[in-house]
Amino acid sequence: MTTTTPEVTPERVSPEHVSPENGSPERRRRVGAVRARHAAGRVAAALGRSVAIFVPVFLVATFVTFALRSMSGLSPARIQLGEEATPDAIQRIEAEWGLDKSFLAQYWDWFSGVLHGRLGTSWVNGADISTLIGLGLGVSLSVAVFALIIGVVVGFVLGTVAALRRTTLVDRAITGFVTVISVMPAFVVGIVLVAVLAVGLGLFPSAGYVPAEQGFGPWLAHITLPALALSFDVIADVARQLRAGLVAAYGENYVTGAVVRGLSPRRIFFAHVLRNGLGPALATMGQKFPALVGASVVTEWIFGLQGFGRFANDSAQAGDVPAVQGVLVVSIVLVVSFNLIINLVLARVMPASQRGV
């Protein structure tokens, strides 16, 4: 009896199940192109969602901001003429400022100017508010950006080391250190830095500001101490959030799978753990940068800086409503813009587990 051996055909494996690392160069190129398109799609979707949120938030915030002037009861006539101003004089000056129009007409005039970058004129000195804010904002942004860089770099190092040495003495020491610095107010840190590094050791100037156009070295020297004073809270939050995110990522199944596949610890950390654990730390950065600009008013007084926060404080005390409105508008733009950037970065570094890696 003749036995017929059935023909064995090789199993066809779908290309989707071929690892790009083990495939041909053409396969790797195709996989890379698909991933690039998916990443671009995620970024575009995040941009669309952020813009859709930004527009109504900006409209509502500017409307509420403008309404504060009507609620305040302040008038440029009161500031310029004092409490002894006659009703006729008040009416004449308010007409010059366009305050005799209806509320909506005033809002539209102001809002159309905002859209063109014009924030109005100061009631106190008649200066252009956009120019005044620009001068102070350059100082505050210099300090805030440098503080953010210091906070992110140091916090990233501390959070990463704590996660890699979790449950050890190093982890507990870092956790205790960031807990201590997180409860230290910026003005206290600033005073200590001035006393030790500026007055005691003479390493940095104790006050003042030099624009970057006049020299990078003097500019950096003048913003270092205020930036250090503001960076402590950023260091603490970034380190804690990054450690928590990395520790949680190490416990995920895709990390176990990467270990089983024989990937090196370095590759597991950078390709899987880090990209999945960055989310909380990035979200913290989105909240910290606008807070740094707003909190700079205290450090500006300590270090003698004429920045954005000090300008806002002086304008509020003088009753200069257009200047206060300009400060609020710029603050809204800073908050929304920086959060938009963070959302785009988050969309670009989505967890690898969600991308099927």
Side-chain angles (χ1 to χ4, degrees):
M1 182 173 59
T2 304
T3 304
T4 303
T5 303
E7 182 179 0
V8 178
T9 58
E11 181 182 0
R12 302 187 63 181
V13 181
S14 172
E16 288 75 9
H17 295 88
V18 179
S19 173
E21 291 82 358
N22 300 326
S24 64
E26 179 63 26
R27 166 64 179 165
R28 289 196 294 269
R29 284 193 295 269
R30 289 201 304 269
V31 172
V34 170
R35 288 180 176 176
R37 287 196 299 269
H38 288 170
R42 289 194 304 271
V43 172
L47 179 61
R49 289 193 300 269
S50 299
V51 171
I53 295 174
F54 169 78
V55 173
V57 167
F58 183 73
L59 290 174
V60 173
T62 53
F63 185 85
V64 172
T65 298
F66 188 81
L68 293 176
R69 181 169 69 182
S70 300
M71 297 171 58
S72 67
L74 296 173
S75 169
R78 297 289 185 184
I79 296 176
Q80 297 176 15
L81 303 178
E83 296 297 331
E84 303 299 327
T86 63
D88 291 340
I90 293 176
Q91 185 177 4
R92 176 175 53 80
I93 292 179
E94 289 185 346
E96 292 176 358
W97 287 89
L99 301 182
D100 56 338
K101 301 179 181 179
S102 66
F103 173 80
L104 292 179
Q106 293 180 47
Y107 172 71
W108 175 248
D109 291 340
W110 175 78
F111 183 72
S112 60
V114 169
L115 294 179
H116 290 85
R118 300 189 303 270
L119 299 177
T121 305
S122 171
W123 283 356
V124 175
N125 52 27
D128 181 64
I129 293 174
S130 300
T131 303
L132 296 176
I133 289 179
L135 295 174
L137 191 61
V139 178
S140 296
L141 286 181
S142 297
V143 175
V145 170
F146 194 28
L148 187 67
I149 292 174
I150 296 173
V152 170
V153 172
V154 178
F156 184 90
V157 172
L158 293 178
T160 302
V161 173
L164 294 176
R165 299 289 185 267
R166 54 194 179 277
T167 71
T168 65
L169 182 61
V170 174
D171 180 22
R172 288 192 287 271
I174 292 176
T175 302
F177 172 72
V178 298
T179 301
V180 171
I181 65 174
S182 67
V183 299
M184 298 175 64
F187 72 91
V188 174
V189 177
I191 294 173
V192 172
L193 291 176
V194 170
V196 176
L197 298 181
V199 178
L201 300 178
L203 299 178
F204 298 94
S206 60
Y209 177 78
V210 175
E213 295 80 10
Q214 298 182 15
F216 180 78
W219 169 78
L220 187 62
H222 282 81
I223 68 172
T224 297
L225 291 187
L228 281 173
L230 289 175
S231 68
F232 276 33
D233 189 49
V234 182
I235 292 172
D237 281 351
V238 170
R240 286 186 297 211
Q241 295 295 334
L242 184 61
R243 181 199 177 277
L246 295 179
V247 170
Y250 267 116
E252 296 292 340
N253 292 332
Y254 54 81
V255 174
T256 304
V259 173
V260 172
R261 288 161 54 193
L263 299 183
S264 65
R266 180 186 298 271
R267 184 172 181 181
I268 291 174
F269 176 76
F270 285 104
H272 299 280
V273 175
L274 182 60
R275 299 183 71 176
N276 285 270
L278 273 177
L282 287 176
T284 298
M285 290 171 54
Q287 300 172 359
K288 285 299 175 183
F289 180 72
L292 288 175
V293 177
S296 63
V297 61
V298 177
T299 55
E300 287 170 6
W301 278 103
I302 294 174
F303 294 98
L305 303 176
Q306 292 292 336
F308 181 71
R310 193 165 178 178
F311 172 75
N313 179 74
D314 293 344
S315 300
Q317 290 187 353
D320 195 351
V321 176
V324 175
Q325 289 176 335
V327 168
L328 293 175
V329 169
V330 173
S331 300
I332 293 167
V333 172
L334 285 176
V335 171
V336 176
S337 299
F338 196 77
N339 277 277
L340 172 62
I341 295 173
I342 294 299
N343 288 338
L344 295 180
V345 174
L346 283 171
R348 182 64 184 87
V349 293
M350 285 181 64
S353 60
Q354 296 181 13
R355 299 196 305 265
V357 175

